[in-house]
Amino acid sequence: MLNLESLAQSYLESIGFQIHETVKGCLVAGRIEFWGRDTRIVQTVQDNRAPRHELLDNVTEIRTRYPDSRATILAHSREGFSRDDLTDISAEDVQLLVPVQFFDSPFKVEQAPRTVSAITKVRNLAEKDERIPQPYQLDGEEHSGEDLFDTLLDELTNESGPQIRFVIGRAGIGKSLLFRALFQRMYSIFLESKNRQTLSKRPIPLLPDHLKGSNATRINHLIQTFLDDDIASPILPKTFSWLLKNGFTTWMLDGLDELYAGESDFFEDIFDLVAEKGSNATITVWCRDSLLTSSQSFADFLDMFEDEEVIKVYRMTDWERRHKRLLAWRRVEGHQPQPQQTDPAEVSTFLSAIDSNKTLRLITSLPFYCNLVFDRTRETGVPRVRDDFELLNIVINELVAREKDKGLLNEDDFDEDGLEDWMEAVADEYIERQGYIDMDQARDYARVVLREDLEERKCEDTLQSLLQFPLFVRGEELGRIEFDHDLLAHALAARLYLKQIRKKQPKVFERLSGGDFEESPRLRFVASRLEPGMNEFVLEQVRNGITRHPEYSTALFLLLQVRSERDLVAQENIQLAGKNLTGISFSDRDLAGHRFNDCDLSRVTFLRCDLRDSSFEGAVLMETKFDQCMLEGARFGNFNRIKSMYFGSAFLRETVQIRDRLHKETGRKLEVLADPCPTALQVVMLLGKFVNPLGEPRSAHIDKRLLVSGRKVAGAATPNSCVQELVRHKYLKKYTGDDRYSRCSGSGYAEIVAAVRDGVFSDGIMSVVKRLCQRTGCSHRAN
């Protein structure tokens, strides 16, 4: 049961009140307002059996000393209060409130239903959506499920403990649709509960609309904009966080990949909210799976805290035939089929079309494409496409043709290929801005491609038609437009990038960089249409041109996609040593004898590759996958930079496990002198939160709760003990009056880098380990 007195006190303090006195469970609090002093009297009722007259007598007695105060009786429920009690309480100008009323800040739309806001937009879209059960997989467990909506709804409405959930899925899989459906249901449950005066969490939707209008991408700007735009009565960000941590709200973030990738402290900030002692914060973050490779801070966060029970990762998985059948029924009949019910002819035609065509069967495993294929089948018959890129181009070309047929666009008003150039430029800008384009900029682009001699009135009419083009929807932010779906923008941008590659413009690789190689629609689309002459340009950049990451790895990915020769790397004399290859996949390649020395091979996949006698000395291996590979004679050096590996589905991160498996795979005697020291490993893991495996800086300062959370090495000194010893030796410094720690600078920082990057301990760090380690005869080595 909630401790109402304690909660009321901390809540009042969060909104700027000072507690003057406490008498028999009655709080007196005050704060200075512009118009004078605001005084509140809050009588808490922990036991509903308490005599009602005593509660009211206590309030009225205290009120004699604070005649201008507002008074409230806060009880768990109205149960036990008779009609006479309620009459007496009301006669004394005292409010009787329950927690869902007292600890709540209503949305503006609840007081003014016609208010235009992000919440209104989400709810309106949710009412139009036709949602199909979404299958999913929970990371770290064999558990999978038929509908992530049901799982999240059950967890978010019934749990009491702190939790961060990540809902991950690729573009077009229906993340936002799931988000909208879940928010709509939870918001309805909350409003119903509030009407019944029972406790429920208010869902808080934090969306891209709350970032627009500012160049800032910090979470504090996101929260402040939400408070300004959507909360009826002004509250402080401190109170907003208090409501979350005490379980009165739950945060739901969608479409904010820009924020996650751009703010290195984002994940630490949200972890801090759930890790605080006594916290009941629940936060659910929707994001694309490409964030795992495009955001190093996200990958690091999941790597460091994968053992934390407060973190869950749900992956939305592809549709199977039964899901496609449900969609067809929804589109044709408006409802789901009953068991054993025969499919209508239109449903049968659609299912037969995708069953008999491998390409359509694969494409329609993604909900967005499934809807497109259904529409094409219904309107023009079964589409004949080689891949999803062609399908999107058909849709785009049909939209253009319809606008021309309606007389809204005339090809003669544009320069040659001007309309296509405009759409591609707008798509490129939309992707670069991560989800919107300014109308004025779209108009400027259009003026460049319109005929110079076009009369001004005709020019204005054409500009207006372009801004209302059916590819777009009007953005919530005034003066901005958005694509109806991101995949349409990716298809148009891919057309532009292909032209730039044909013209041999090296800067195209910078535009193509970012995101997950395997899941990036733009990269896949470009790779699928590269011509021989374009391939030679890409090869030239890999072999002699680009040296920077991620442009180099982007060009290499494209080359590997279009050149299937098993001995491609040797044939073209591609030197990989020292390169950052993060996220690249090598499939069916002969890489025997090749040097991967000093590479960053984080999250690199080697599938059915010949790696015999290859060298990995000095390479960073973190979540690196070897599946059905030949590794006889391969050299892995002294383990300094090996963090974790996969062999097939087996995940290995303990040095002893990795050593034994590599010995089995390579047949080589490995350069390990003794079993690693558990405490040395724990110290390196702690320091690794300040420096990444390449020796590059991560956070300069970290909250203690975050610092000591995450993986605990068996047999090691506790993370708390390690932190204390690192502070004593001046490698870490605690902020005065705060629970945050910063890393040292100068020569001490260089020692931290050497320990994390190379596994080499200075005398000082070795002293830390020796003082903490309790293992007899230990070598105190971390590798």
Side-chain angles (χ1 to χ4, degrees):
M1 182 177 287
L2 299 176
N3 185 328
L4 294 183
E5 182 177 349
S6 175
L7 284 171
Q9 178 171 334
S10 58
Y11 173 71
L12 290 169
E13 289 172 339
S14 80
I15 58 177
F17 281 86
Q18 291 184 331
I19 306 301
H20 297 322
E21 60 176 309
T22 302
V23 182
K24 298 178 183 178
C26 191
L27 302 170
V28 181
R31 66 180 177 186
I32 301 297
E33 297 284 4
F34 176 75
W35 45 265
R37 174 168 287 277
D38 182 8
T39 304
R40 308 274 181 94
I41 297 173
V42 181
Q43 173 70 62
T44 57
V45 186
Q46 195 62 32
D47 184 352
N48 265 22
R49 294 171 297 181
R52 303 298 179 246
H53 66 278
E54 291 184 9
L55 297 173
L56 191 56
D57 288 347
N58 197 34
V59 172
T60 53
E61 180 184 343
I62 294 172
R63 210 174 199 178
T64 59
R65 302 196 298 276
Y66 304 94
D68 296 325
S69 62
R70 289 185 284 172
T72 301
I73 294 177
L74 175 60
H76 289 285
S77 71
R78 289 185 171 234
E79 184 181 344
F81 287 87
S82 67
R83 182 175 298 180
D84 290 340
D85 292 332
L86 297 177
T87 300
D88 292 342
I89 291 171
S90 178
E92 292 293 336
D93 194 23
V94 178
Q95 280 187 307
L96 174 61
L97 299 178
V98 296
V100 74
Q101 298 168 322
F102 186 83
F103 302 110
D104 186 49
S105 296
F107 295 153
K108 287 181 180 178
V109 293
E110 292 161 32
Q111 299 182 357
R114 294 189 178 182
T115 300
V116 177
S117 69
I119 293 171
T120 305
K121 179 180 175 182
V122 168
R123 298 191 75 194
N124 289 341
L125 289 171
E127 289 176 1
K128 299 174 185 177
D129 290 336
E130 295 182 344
R131 200 187 68 81
I132 305 299
Q134 176 58 54
Y136 69 94
Q137 179 75 42
L138 178 61
D139 269 15
E141 296 186 15
E142 295 297 323
H143 177 72
S144 60
E146 267 301 297
D147 194 359
L148 184 52
F149 174 87
D150 289 340
T151 298
L152 292 176
L153 182 65
D154 179 64
E155 291 186 0
L156 288 170
T157 52
N158 293 313
E159 71 183 355
S160 58
Q163 192 82 65
I164 301 175
R165 294 176 180 81
F166 293 101
V167 178
I168 296 177
R170 55 193 178 119
I173 204 165
K175 294 184 300 297
S176 291
L177 191 147
L178 174 66
F179 171 89
R180 293 194 294 265
L182 187 63
F183 171 76
Q184 177 79 319
R185 177 69 66 83
M186 290 191 63
Y187 188 40
S188 297
I189 289 172
F190 172 78
L191 293 178
E192 291 167 4
S193 298
K194 190 171 182 180
N195 285 335
R196 296 195 307 269
Q197 300 182 356
T198 57
L199 197 59
S200 179
K201 293 183 180 181
R202 175 182 284 275
I204 301 295
L206 298 172
L207 302 160
D209 297 290
H210 300 123
L211 278 182
K212 293 175 183 177
S214 171
N215 293 324
T217 57
R218 292 191 62 81
I219 191 170
N220 56 0
H221 172 75
L222 176 79
I223 290 170
Q224 189 59 60
T225 304
F226 176 83
L227 296 177
D228 293 342
D229 290 355
D230 290 298
I231 297 296
S233 300
I235 64 169
L236 300 171
K238 180 180 179 181
T239 308
F240 192 62
S241 297
W242 184 95
L243 291 168
L244 173 75
K245 288 184 286 188
N246 285 279
F248 295 105
T249 62
T250 182
W251 291 1
M252 304 168 67
L253 293 80
D254 180 44
L256 291 164
D257 294 56
E258 169 188 10
L259 173 68
Y260 316 144
E263 185 178 349
S264 59
D265 292 339
F266 170 80
F267 300 103
E268 295 179 11
D269 288 344
I270 62 172
F271 185 84
D272 190 38
L273 290 167
V274 302
E276 185 174 317
K277 185 177 180 181
S279 174
N280 282 312
T282 55
I283 301 171
T284 310
V285 178
W286 275 256
C287 57
R288 292 180 182 169
D289 50 6
S290 59
L291 193 70
L292 284 167
T293 50
S294 64
S295 171
Q296 188 62 47
S297 58
F298 185 35
D300 289 344
F301 178 80
L302 292 183
D303 178 58
M304 287 189 291
F305 302 107
E306 62 183 332
D307 288 342
E308 288 293 322
E309 293 182 358
V310 297
I311 296 173
K312 287 184 178 180
V313 179
Y314 293 95
R315 295 181 188 268
M316 300 172 70
T317 54
D318 289 350
W319 275 7
E320 298 180 8
R321 189 181 190 274
R322 62 185 182 277
H323 304 104
K324 302 170 190 179
R325 177 173 178 257
L326 289 176
L327 177 132
W329 266 86
R330 284 276 189 188
R331 299 291 305 276
V332 174
E333 299 292 332
H335 60 81
Q336 294 187 9
Q338 298 298 314
Q340 309 304 318
Q341 192 169 3
T342 303
D343 291 338
E346 198 172 354
V347 174
S348 295
T349 300
F350 170 69
L351 294 175
S352 297
I354 61 177
D355 286 342
S356 60
N357 185 304
K358 182 180 179 181
T359 299
L360 291 181
R361 191 164 63 251
L362 292 173
I363 288 175
T364 53
S365 64
L366 207 61
F368 175 72
Y369 291 127
C370 193
N371 271 291
L372 288 185
V373 171
F374 181 85
D375 289 337
R376 303 278 81 67
T377 303
R378 170 180 273 184
E379 295 172 10
T380 60
V382 180
R384 297 184 178 183
V385 295
R386 58 188 275 196
D387 55 25
D388 50 348
F389 186 35
E390 186 170 350
L391 177 63
L392 290 170
N393 280 324
I394 289 173
V395 172
I396 292 167
N397 294 338
E398 285 178 355
L399 291 174
V400 172
R402 287 175 187 171
E403 294 299 286
K404 290 178 179 177
D405 290 343
K406 293 175 184 176
L408 297 175
L409 289 176
N410 186 341
E411 197 79 53
D412 295 336
D413 295 338
F414 295 85
D415 293 335
E416 185 178 357
D417 299 324
L419 177 57
E420 183 174 338
D421 290 344
W422 177 78
M423 290 190 299
E424 292 168 2
V426 168
D428 179 50
E429 185 68 25
Y430 174 86
I431 291 169
E432 182 69 15
R433 289 180 175 270
Q434 302 191 43
Y436 70 92
I437 182 170
D438 291 323
M439 284 187 180
D440 288 343
Q441 192 161 16
R443 289 171 64 91
D444 290 343
Y445 285 162
R447 287 188 177 277
V448 172
V449 299
L450 288 171
R451 282 188 9 239
E452 288 186 6
D453 60 346
L454 196 66
E455 63 179 29
E456 186 61 27
R457 182 171 180 178
K458 180 63 174 173
C459 179
E460 283 299 320
D461 288 345
T462 303
L463 290 172
Q464 191 63 28
S465 294
L466 289 174
L467 294 176
Q468 295 174 354
F469 201 72
L471 279 172
F472 308 128
V473 293
R474 188 174 295 275
E476 190 69 28
E477 183 81 13
L478 185 65
R480 292 180 174 179
I481 54 176
E482 303 169 9
F483 272 80
D484 190 39
H485 198 284
D486 286 357
L487 285 169
L488 294 169
H490 283 284
L492 282 166
R495 293 183 184 181
L496 174 65
Y497 304 143
L498 283 163
K499 291 177 182 176
Q500 292 175 343
I501 292 174
R502 189 176 291 113
K503 294 176 182 177
K504 298 186 177 181
Q505 298 176 354
K507 280 191 173 293
V508 67
F509 298 104
E510 182 179 348
R511 304 297 284 183
L512 277 167
S513 298
D516 184 284
F517 291 119
E518 299 299 327
E519 296 298 338
S520 169
R522 284 173 296 153
L523 277 173
R524 285 194 300 103
F525 297 160
V526 169
S528 71
R529 299 299 189 273
L530 286 177
E531 301 160 0
M534 299 158 74
N535 296 344
E536 289 303 312
F537 172 64
V538 175
L539 172 61
E540 179 186 332
Q541 299 308 304
V542 171
R543 193 164 50 194
N544 304 313
I546 300 170
T547 58
R548 300 181 307 277
H549 175 77
E551 291 95 317
Y552 174 86
S553 48
T554 299
L556 177 61
F557 170 82
L558 289 175
L559 183 66
L560 292 171
Q561 290 293 301
V562 299
R563 296 280 299 274
S564 60
E565 302 97 308
R566 187 168 176 81
D567 64 343
L568 172 67
V569 175
Q571 182 187 140
E572 299 295 352
N573 191 30
I574 298 171
Q575 302 299 314
L576 298 172
K579 296 293 195 300
N580 187 332
L581 304 178
T582 302
I584 289 286
S585 178
F586 295 91
S587 299
D588 299 296
R589 303 289 178 177
D590 183 354
L591 299 168
H594 282 278
R595 298 174 70 247
F596 294 91
N597 298 44
D598 302 313
C599 283
D600 187 346
L601 300 177
S602 300
R603 296 179 294 283
V604 168
T605 296
F606 295 97
L607 175 62
R608 296 185 298 274
C609 291
D610 186 347
L611 292 163
R612 289 175 292 182
D613 297 317
S614 53
S615 175
F616 294 88
E617 293 176 301
V620 174
L621 283 84
M622 184 169 69
E623 297 185 25
T624 309
K625 298 181 180 180
F626 296 92
D627 193 354
Q628 304 173 59
C629 294
M630 293 180 284
L631 281 161
E632 293 90 342
R635 299 180 298 280
F636 284 83
N638 62 5
F639 280 66
N640 286 347
R641 305 173 88 180
I642 299 179
K643 308 302 178 183
S644 59
M645 307 169 73
Y646 284 91
F647 283 94
S649 60
F651 178 58
L652 309 177
R653 66 180 181 187
E654 302 293 345
T655 303
V656 175
Q657 292 178 319
I658 296 173
R659 179 194 64 191
D660 292 345
R661 183 60 182 260
L662 285 179
H663 178 68
K664 176 182 176 182
E665 296 284 340
T666 65
R668 281 185 174 274
K669 184 178 180 181
L670 304 175
E671 300 174 33
V672 179
L673 301 179
D675 287 344
C677 167
T679 297
L681 291 173
Q682 192 71 66
V683 168
V684 169
M685 285 177 191
L686 286 170
L687 295 175
K689 296 180 181 182
F690 295 96
V691 175
N692 73 17
L694 291 176
E696 299 165 341
R698 281 177 171 163
S699 298
H701 47 79
I702 300 177
D703 187 274
K704 182 181 179 181
R705 287 180 293 274
L706 189 66
L707 185 57
V708 300
S709 298
R711 182 182 167 196
K712 311 294 190 298
V713 180
T718 66
N720 273 313
S721 299
C722 294
V723 169
Q724 291 172 12
E725 199 62 27
L726 287 166
V727 169
R728 200 172 76 83
H729 282 75
K730 297 183 171 35
Y731 290 105
L732 300 181
K733 178 182 178 181
K734 184 177 181 181
Y735 281 92
T736 304
D738 199 351
D739 233 9
R740 295 176 72 80
Y741 289 81
S742 62
R743 52 176 166 78
C744 63
S745 56
S747 60
Y749 177 65
E751 294 174 38
I752 291 175
V753 170
V756 175
R757 184 188 61 197
D758 305 318
V760 175
F761 288 176
S762 64
D763 290 343
I765 292 180
M766 182 61 79
S767 296
V768 170
V769 176
K770 285 181 177 180
R771 185 176 177 86
L772 293 167
C773 180
Q774 300 296 314
R775 197 166 68 166
T776 304
C778 183
S779 66
H780 306 305
R781 293 172 55 89
N783 49 54

